[in-house]
Amino acid sequence: MRFFTQIAAFAAAAATLANANSVTFINQDDTTRQVIFTPSSGYPAIDTITIQGNQQSKIDIPISWVGNAYAVREGAAQVPGMLAEFTFQGWNDFTYFDVSAIVNPTDTDGIKQIFPASQLESTVKSLVSGCIVFPCATAYYAPADIQTVTTKETDLVVTLGNSANVASREVQEGALVPRHYVLGKLS
């Protein structure tokens, strides 16, 4: 009986590892940032993490977790800016993610992009939300925007700050941002 108990425990642990979620935060400049997580109601809290400049940190995310994260400079007030929004193991076991500019579209220093970890080395990413330079057409600016991205992958990458090889531009109040909507019938 003890042998079967050990086998069952091992199988459960292996299943948990196979379904584990993670997010790797990559800080693209020399600014130390804190990443603050906000779970949706009823989901477990995730501790705030600090990422040194030009470093990265990979964190485990609970199974079926729903919530968001935002980044601030170390020592700054914890005021939400661009949001990295996640749903792991959502409908049909998909991972849903987007970068939302709804709360503070003028934040050009925190969250930049989200994409599956398998696309980290790709120069062109097919599944990406957010911008290298804000504003752009692949961020979520209004509640009716169709910008949420889905994948079966459970390991994501979130970029923070400004890459040294990218020029930035200021967001002007009332500026229009081009939108690319996905039209069609759900089956």
Side-chain angles (χ1 to χ4, degrees):
M1 181 70 171
R2 182 171 181 237
F3 176 75
F4 290 110
T5 304
Q6 289 174 333
I7 293 293
F10 177 78
T16 300
L17 290 175
N19 293 325
N21 305 312
S22 71
V23 177
T24 301
F25 290 90
I26 299 176
N27 200 349
Q28 303 180 108
D29 58 28
D30 60 0
T31 302
T32 298
R33 289 182 173 79
Q34 290 184 306
V35 178
I36 299 97
F37 295 88
T38 308
S40 291
S41 180
Y43 292 90
I46 298 174
D47 292 336
T48 295
I49 60 171
T50 299
I51 305 172
Q52 299 298 315
N54 298 308
Q55 299 295 314
Q56 63 186 33
S57 181
K58 182 175 182 177
I59 64 158
D60 293 326
I61 304 292
I63 299 297
S64 299
W65 192 79
V66 179
N68 64 53
Y70 61 95
V72 296
R73 290 174 178 260
E74 186 176 45
Q78 292 186 358
V79 177
M82 293 291 174
L83 299 177
E85 298 179 321
F86 311 101
T87 297
F88 288 94
Q89 288 80 36
W91 179 80
N92 218 14
D93 208 34
F94 279 101
T95 299
Y96 297 81
F97 62 91
D98 63 67
V99 172
S100 174
I102 294 173
V103 172
N104 183 358
T106 63
D107 173 20
T108 58
D109 191 52
I111 303 291
K112 291 294 186 167
Q113 291 186 312
I114 308 173
F115 49 86
S118 66
Q119 295 187 9
L120 180 61
E121 300 301 322
S122 302
T123 53
V124 176
K125 294 167 179 37
S126 60
L127 298 173
V128 64
S129 181
C131 312
I132 294 171
V133 177
F134 284 96
C136 71
T138 55
Y140 199 93
Y141 291 93
D145 279 356
I146 303 173
Q147 293 298 332
T148 300
V149 181
T150 60
T151 182
K152 284 289 192 178
E153 296 184 44
T154 58
D155 298 316
L156 301 177
V157 171
V158 175
T159 58
L160 308 171
N162 297 300
S163 179
N165 61 356
V166 176
S168 64
R169 59 183 168 196
E170 295 299 317
V171 178
Q172 296 176 359
E173 187 79 27
L176 297 177
V177 177
R179 308 302 314 150
H180 298 284
Y181 295 102
V182 178
L183 301 176
K185 183 171 80 172
L186 296 175
S187 55

